[in-house]
Amino acid sequence: MSTTQPPATAGEMAGRYEPAAVESEMRALWEAAGGFTAGGTRAGRPTFTIMIPPPNVTGVLHMGHALNGTMQDIVARHRRLCGFDVLWLPGTDHAGIATQAVVEKKLYAERKLTRQQLGREAFLAEIWAWKEKHGNYILEQLARLGASCDWSRTKFTMDPALSRAVREAFVRLWEKGLIYRGARLVNWDCLLQTAVSDDEIEYVPRKGRLWQLRYPVLRLAGGGAPGSGGTPTHIVVATTRPETMLGDTGVAVHPDDARWRALIGATVRLPLLDREIPVVADEGVEPKFGTGAVKVTPGHDPADYERGARHRLPIVNILAKDGTLNENAGPFAGLPREKAREAVVKALDEQGLLGKVEEIEHNVSMSDRSKSPIEPLISEQWFVKMQPLAVPAIEAVRSGSLRFKPERWARVYLDWLDHVRDWCISRQLWWGHRIPVWYDEDGVGVASREDLPLGSPHPKTGKPIVRQDEDVLDTWASSWLWPFATLGWPDDTPDLRRYYPTQFLSTASEIIYLWVARMVMAGHEFMQQLPPERRTPFATCFINTTVLDAQGRRMSKSLGNGIDPLELVAQYGADATRFSLVMLTKEGQDTRFAAEKTELGRNFVNKLWNASRFVLSRAGRLPVLDPARATALEDRWILSRLAATIEAAGEAYGHYDFNDAANLLYRFTWNDVCDWYVEAVKPRLLAGDEVAAAVLGRVMADLLALLHPFTPFVTEAVWQRLRAASDAPLEGVLAWARWPDGAGLRRDERAEADLARAQAVLTSVRKLRQQNDVPDRKPVRVTVALPDDAAVAGLQRAQDLLVRLGALASLTAARNPTRPAGAAADVSEGIEVLLDLEGLVDRAAQKADLQRTLDKVTKQADSITAKLSDESFTSRAPAPIVARERARLEELRAEQQRIEGLLAS
RNA sequence: GGGCGAUUGGCUCAGCGGUUAGAGCACCUGCCUUACAAGCAGGGGGUCGGAGGUUCGAAUCCUUCAUCGCCCACCA
């Protein structure tokens, strides 16, 4: 084998932008320049803070993260360019259940060990070891997308400082009486053996059965015998979970239901256990469903729990924590719930107490985490009273200290807060913040900021402490403190004072309840040293769109339809991935995405790269622009367009309208700069024209800054090259440069109109060339007829440009020029363009084309004529609108005449 | 059962009361023009889901229907 020099890649040879090398080079450049650490030399400036929604430590970057990270980075980079001291703080969430599950699985796969076998301490050590090894993976992935986070301030929800904050918050709430422990019906995950919150369950439609069970009536309300007066001897209830009948403590019917009214107040016998239970009247029963009679199982159904409470029915719990039936299930004790269901049905059937059985589709509640069915179960849990915390969180939106974008999400937020329920914060897990409550021998609990060693005296009772609560806190009990706990709270740190509250939170709609609302509550509850409007943890909550697959389905692991953002980065580049996402993502609108769509961004980045390559290689030194010397039409035009673009882009960025900003910059870059300006100026540039070079230098520098938030790598790379070639005093690193201020630029309406007219003429010329098989570079004599003197003058100002770009032998412009015989003709915008072909014209194609234009114009003219002859329009529409229609009609008439003239000749 | 969103060229989406409804992709034609074929030039194609209404004027506002999607809700 012979060794050879690595050849230039095919891509480089062909002028293709190759992102991989540039990206790592630029990251190194930023790193060398000090990285994106907040404060430092910018300590004197106004701050702009973004807290990353901490992804799970177990996480792997998916499209949602990529989109969210891109949005935050766009804002961070834009604000940095605008001169702010930007802190974008990164970090990860310990994600209790998810992480514990990952490590448990690994432990079992590798060493056939369960966590119980290992014991609490050793198991936690395993998780920490896992976290140290893999915990930063997702942040590293984000960095590859270009995220300009302050990596020196990276936080983790179980860092000692954050853990301290969690404990402080718990104790404060405890002291205010907002934390209580109680036996409540919770959503029990039998697989993970923990409670999960309402927000962590989902309803999945499943095929099931609706069984009718017959409970014998023992005696009527007044003590009458069953069946007397024609009353039913049995009450028939319908259920999808027959095994829960073992926990029934009543039967409910609607008070107005004629079928059962006679049984209200009666006592019935609960079969199998021979318990006597009452029949109660409850408005909440839907007579039309099932049999109209509902078994009431307060221990195992949330609706029944409340119904039972209304009628003071006792609660019987028949389930153990692992999902098997307990001693209250009598003969069925010890059976797993599925087996118990069969056994109960069989037993009832044997006693002739089973009624109709129907196949139905119904919603089954499933645990988000384990995907196993949720069993509502009474258990002792810790709760936070939410009502008092919700009040200021509602006020935050009402007063405008918190804004949602799109605004409609505010209602979702408010609706939830209006009906907020107490938050079950205890989890029967090991991985998480252990509940800081200690008990004495009588079981009297106390919350404490400091650990209470076993044997030490209980601060209230004085009796020795015997144990700490076994449970840990819900993960959200740490992440709701994220906006300030990451800055050092509860200590009064300089960071906390400087960077709280934050300005921008970007997240997904799914966690408005779980996270956003709770952070606002926490901000108002725990940051009371600040005035109320400054307690709100973020000024804007930006809700991202959902990235769907090409068929419009959610991307999910189980469907396998997800796209790995890093594969896009590898294939198309980080800039291309980011830019494509922004171009395809309109605020508030879900996005259908397929990998190929990244070509959009890749092509754009490539275009930008090549345009700059051309300028930098052909222009020589780029002098500082003196706007006074930029007198050529194309120069005045592009500078005017630049002025307009800076203004519009600034506006769009400021309003977080990223899609608008990207579209606008795309068009300016591709159409205005590349298609027109660079083409117009090529000969000048190659001839060493300094003004053209200076204009290009200015346009490029400003454009790179405008695009930098979207495509940081390529813009930085070009900036570095531009800086080396330019006499302008450009900052050393684009990432910390200044946002274009438009100095020396102004809108030039006349230049824009002149150029638009020239573009129309040129398009006609090119069209005629193609129609008549005239090669692009063969010089042609062109005559243009224009509607008025102003247009004629305007076209004359564009003469040089037209001759150059259109390869014209001559250009004649007048209102009514002499028309050369045998010319090819085109009419558009009231401008008639004639190409002198000395009779070599394809008459048929010509006529067909002109006829089509004429039809269109005639149709429009007719519709305006009708409009103008309508009295109600002319009298009621605003005068300027009517005048505009009149003017438009005149133009159309003139155009009609021109075309008719051409068709007649 | 409520709430929200969507329905615009073949596809994916902009436009959200006022001239001729736009873009990218795809398509047709001609071009390897020394920045870019991941490109250049030119072109064709939609009356804006259906029906009603408001208005001088509606893709844009209102009502209603249809279809699709998301969220919330204790129909056992």
Side-chain angles (χ1 to χ4, degrees):
Chain A
M1 263 178 100
S2 65
T3 51
T4 53
Q5 283 288 97
T9 66
E12 280 164 3
M13 302 289 286
R16 287 184 180 178
Y17 174 66
E18 307 225 316
V22 172
E23 286 170 16
S24 57
E25 215 178 293
M26 293 308 114
R27 257 201 310 279
L29 177 98
W30 294 326
E31 200 50 48
F36 297 97
T37 308
T41 58
R42 299 199 149 206
R45 309 200 184 186
T47 63
F48 194 96
T49 312
I50 303 170
M51 296 290 173
I52 203 169
N56 291 356
V57 266
T58 55
V60 175
L61 201 75
H62 57 57
M63 289 308 291
H65 294 124
L67 179 65
N68 197 215
T70 297
M71 295 306 171
Q72 292 169 81
D73 195 49
I74 289 166
V75 176
R77 288 184 185 269
H78 169 244
R79 296 294 159 149
R80 202 141 40 218
L81 287 169
C82 290
F84 287 87
D85 172 23
V86 172
L87 168 59
W88 180 16
L89 189 143
T92 48
D93 190 298
H94 66 278
I97 296 177
T99 311
Q100 177 162 325
V102 164
V103 177
E104 271 190 279
K105 201 183 269 179
K106 179 168 174 276
L107 201 59
Y108 193 78
E110 290 173 3
R111 289 189 265 157
K112 294 272 174 279
L113 280 175
T114 66
R115 75 182 144 112
Q116 287 82 1
Q117 286 170 316
L118 210 55
R120 188 163 189 153
E121 300 265 311
F123 180 67
L124 288 179
E126 287 289 332
I127 301 190
W128 277 109
W130 184 93
K131 189 260 164 187
E132 290 313 315
K133 198 163 163 205
H134 305 286
N136 276 330
Y137 184 59
I138 192 161
L139 295 182
E140 284 158 17
Q141 289 185 306
L142 212 50
R144 291 186 49 198
L145 256 180
S148 60
C149 297
D150 181 347
W151 304 108
S152 74
R153 284 180 168 87
T154 303
K155 294 290 187 292
F156 175 55
T157 50
M158 293 231 316
D159 284 344
L162 289 259
S163 298
R164 207 176 125 235
V166 168
R167 189 175 284 200
E168 176 69 25
F170 185 96
V171 174
R172 283 198 197 179
L173 293 175
W174 170 282
E175 286 168 349
K176 281 184 79 172
L178 291 178
I179 285 190
Y180 64 94
R181 183 166 167 79
R184 286 298 142 92
L185 195 68
V186 296
N187 307 299
W188 190 259
D189 183 325
C190 297
L191 204 69
L192 298 166
Q193 300 205 20
T194 178
V196 297
S197 73
D198 291 340
D199 307 293
E200 288 168 321
I201 65 177
E202 56 179 351
Y203 293 91
V204 183
R206 283 286 161 84
K207 281 201 176 62
R209 287 179 181 169
L210 188 64
W211 284 272
Q212 292 190 357
L213 317 181
R214 297 153 54 81
Y215 296 176
V217 177
L218 284 178
R219 53 183 178 275
L220 299 177
S228 62
T231 55
T233 56
H234 291 78
I235 191 160
V236 187
V237 299
T239 180
T240 52
R241 295 189 300 155
E243 72 283 6
T244 62
M245 62 81 64
L246 300 169
D248 284 5
T249 54
V251 174
V253 299
H254 195 276
D256 300 334
D257 190 335
R259 290 170 295 177
W260 306 117
R261 194 159 37 198
L263 293 183
I264 292 168
T267 301
V268 300
R269 177 173 66 87
L270 183 68
L272 310 182
L273 295 179
D274 291 336
R275 183 153 67 227
E276 294 189 9
I277 59 176
V279 176
V280 300
D282 191 286
E283 303 263 346
V285 176
E286 175 56 65
K288 289 200 222 38
F289 187 86
T291 61
V294 189
K295 59 196 273 305
V296 183
T297 322
H300 298 287
D301 184 281
D304 288 358
Y305 181 79
E306 283 173 28
R307 205 172 334 239
R310 276 200 292 276
H311 301 284
R312 298 169 191 274
L313 299 174
I315 298 171
V316 174
N317 178 20
I318 60 161
L319 275 179
K321 308 274 184 210
D322 61 358
T324 62
L325 272 62
N326 67 15
E327 66 283 2
N328 290 331
F332 303 95
L335 289 177
R337 43 199 168 146
E338 302 80 13
K339 289 268 190 300
R341 176 168 302 176
E342 293 166 24
V344 164
V345 169
K346 186 157 170 274
L348 286 169
D349 197 18
E350 282 165 5
Q351 298 185 18
L353 296 176
L354 187 64
K356 217 165 48 173
V357 182
E358 283 176 77
E359 302 285 326
I360 59 159
E361 177 138 320
H362 65 135
N363 284 336
V364 178
S365 49
M366 306 290 275
S367 166
D368 253 356
R369 288 297 176 197
S370 71
K371 307 295 173 199
S372 69
I374 287 292
E375 290 295 337
L377 188 69
I378 296 282
S379 68
E380 286 277 316
Q381 302 289 346
W382 288 100
F383 294 87
V384 176
K385 284 185 195 162
M386 295 296 262
Q387 191 52 48
L389 300 179
V391 175
I394 292 168
E395 182 54 26
V397 165
R398 298 256 156 86
S399 70
S401 76
L402 168 60
R403 283 182 200 285
F404 280 86
K405 188 167 174 73
E407 270 178 42
R408 66 185 142 88
W409 293 108
R411 253 193 66 195
V412 174
Y413 167 97
L414 289 172
D415 282 350
W416 185 76
L417 285 172
D418 280 341
H419 305 111
V420 72
R421 283 179 285 181
D422 286 353
W423 175 17
C424 173
I425 50 167
S426 43
R427 292 296 120 96
Q428 289 65 50
L429 302 172
W430 288 353
W431 177 241
H433 301 279
R434 187 127 173 218
I435 289 179
V437 172
W438 284 262
Y439 301 91
D440 69 8
E441 57 198 22
D442 301 328
V444 178
V446 64
S448 171
R449 288 179 175 83
E450 306 299 328
D451 283 358
L452 299 179
L454 299 186
S456 66
H458 188 289
K460 290 270 153 46
T461 67
K463 293 187 175 175
I465 293 293
V466 295
R467 63 183 175 92
Q468 181 180 2
D469 200 287
E470 290 293 315
D471 291 352
V472 301
L473 289 165
D474 179 10
T475 297
W476 300 104
S478 51
S479 37
W480 76 324
L481 311 175
W482 188 250
F484 45 87
T486 50
L487 296 172
W489 184 89
D491 293 336
D492 182 22
T493 63
D495 266 10
L496 184 63
R497 259 178 280 154
R498 183 163 170 74
Y499 296 109
Y500 188 92
T502 77
Q503 278 65 48
F504 183 74
L505 176 81
S506 176
T507 190
S509 60
E510 299 98 81
I511 55 176
I512 289 177
Y513 312 135
L514 287 169
W515 192 47
V516 176
R518 286 178 186 156
M519 278 193 288
V520 180
M521 293 180 183
H524 284 268
E525 179 63 23
F526 299 116
M527 296 301 288
Q528 291 187 4
Q529 69 274 26
L530 298 176
E533 70 281 2
R534 289 181 50 80
R535 293 175 196 162
T536 303
F538 28 82
T540 299
C541 178
F542 184 89
I543 300 296
N544 266 296
T545 65
T546 310
V547 183
L548 307 170
D549 75 1
Q551 281 88 52
R553 299 169 306 180
R554 264 191 136 77
M555 289 187 179
S556 73
K557 255 190 206 151
S558 52
L559 272 176
N561 61 344
I563 295 173
D564 177 0
L566 291 185
E567 270 178 33
L568 297 180
V569 170
Q571 190 179 350
Y572 300 101
D575 289 328
T577 304
R578 295 163 59 114
F579 194 75
S580 301
L581 278 172
V582 176
M583 285 290 282
L584 293 166
T585 301
K586 180 68 188 177
E587 169 198 319
Q589 194 50 52
D590 290 351
T591 311
R592 289 188 185 204
F593 191 85
E596 315 85 75
K597 292 200 175 186
T598 317
E599 288 172 12
L600 164 68
R602 179 253 261 153
N603 294 354
F604 177 72
V605 170
N606 190 239
K607 187 77 181 173
L608 181 67
W609 174 253
N610 276 304
S612 40
R613 222 165 46 106
F614 172 72
V615 172
L616 293 170
S617 65
R618 296 307 167 112
R621 290 297 300 173
L622 300 169
V624 178
L625 172 69
D626 173 3
R629 291 183 62 201
T631 52
L633 172 61
E634 63 268 24
D635 293 349
R636 284 181 289 117
W637 171 76
I638 196 66
L639 293 174
S640 174
R641 293 288 309 128
L642 178 63
T645 303
I646 290 171
E647 197 189 329
E651 186 102 340
Y653 271 115
H655 293 127
Y656 306 125
D657 290 327
F658 309 120
N659 179 264
D660 291 350
N663 268 300
L664 192 123
L665 291 170
Y666 180 96
R667 274 186 234 116
F668 177 68
T669 306
W670 204 304
N671 303 332
D672 293 348
V673 177
C674 293
D675 291 347
W676 286 100
Y677 188 70
V678 171
E679 292 306 325
V681 95
K682 245 175 198 176
R684 286 171 61 194
L685 204 60
L686 298 177
D689 182 319
E690 292 210 332
V691 175
V695 170
L696 271 171
R698 171 64 183 269
V699 169
M700 271 180 68
D702 284 359
L703 181 57
L704 291 173
L706 294 173
L707 280 170
H708 184 255
F710 294 131
T711 54
F713 296 108
V714 69
T715 50
E716 184 71 79
V718 173
W719 180 270
Q720 294 303 322
R721 288 162 177 73
L722 176 64
R723 209 167 70 88
S726 173
D727 292 335
L730 302 180
E731 288 92 341
V733 182
L734 176 56
W736 292 278
R738 270 197 318 275
W739 191 251
D741 57 6
L745 303 181
R746 60 176 190 89
R747 293 300 295 274
D748 184 334
E749 308 279 347
R750 201 180 76 173
E752 295 202 28
D754 286 353
L755 207 110
R757 197 179 297 106
Q759 286 173 336
V761 169
L762 208 46
T763 297
S764 284
V765 168
R766 287 166 175 164
K767 182 173 164 185
L768 293 173
R769 288 190 114 109
Q770 182 159 11
Q771 264 176 13
N772 296 287
D773 264 335
V774 181
D776 285 349
R777 270 165 296 181
K778 181 184 174 188
V780 284
R781 285 194 297 277
V782 168
T783 304
V784 182
L786 295 135
D788 52 53
D789 292 338
V792 173
L795 198 72
Q796 276 158 356
R797 285 190 293 269
Q799 169 129 8
D800 289 353
L801 187 69
L802 282 166
V803 166
R804 211 185 310 144
L805 289 177
L808 309 186
S810 70
L811 176 69
T812 311
R815 289 180 67 170
N816 255 311
T818 314
R819 289 166 172 79
D826 185 52
V827 176
S828 77
E829 314 282 326
I831 300 170
E832 181 182 337
V833 177
L834 299 134
L835 240 164
D836 185 359
L837 298 179
E838 293 150 358
L840 301 170
V841 181
D842 180 344
R843 302 309 290 191
Q846 186 78 91
K847 293 227 161 168
D849 190 56
L850 284 169
Q851 188 61 51
R852 217 173 328 134
T853 311
L854 180 61
D855 292 347
K856 224 190 288 180
V857 171
T858 305
K859 213 172 122 195
Q860 284 164 29
D862 290 351
S863 111
I864 294 179
T865 308
K867 215 174 185 180
L868 285 171
S869 60
D870 182 352
E871 164 65 25
S872 60
F873 172 71
T874 49
S875 62
R876 297 210 203 183
I881 299 289
V882 178
R884 200 164 60 190
E885 292 297 316
R886 289 227 163 82
R888 176 71 191 144
L889 183 60
E890 264 177 55
E891 281 168 29
L892 288 169
R893 290 262 186 259
E895 194 163 335
Q896 258 179 318
Q897 275 173 23
R898 285 194 196 282
I899 300 169
E900 278 159 3
L902 285 166
L903 283 169
S905 69

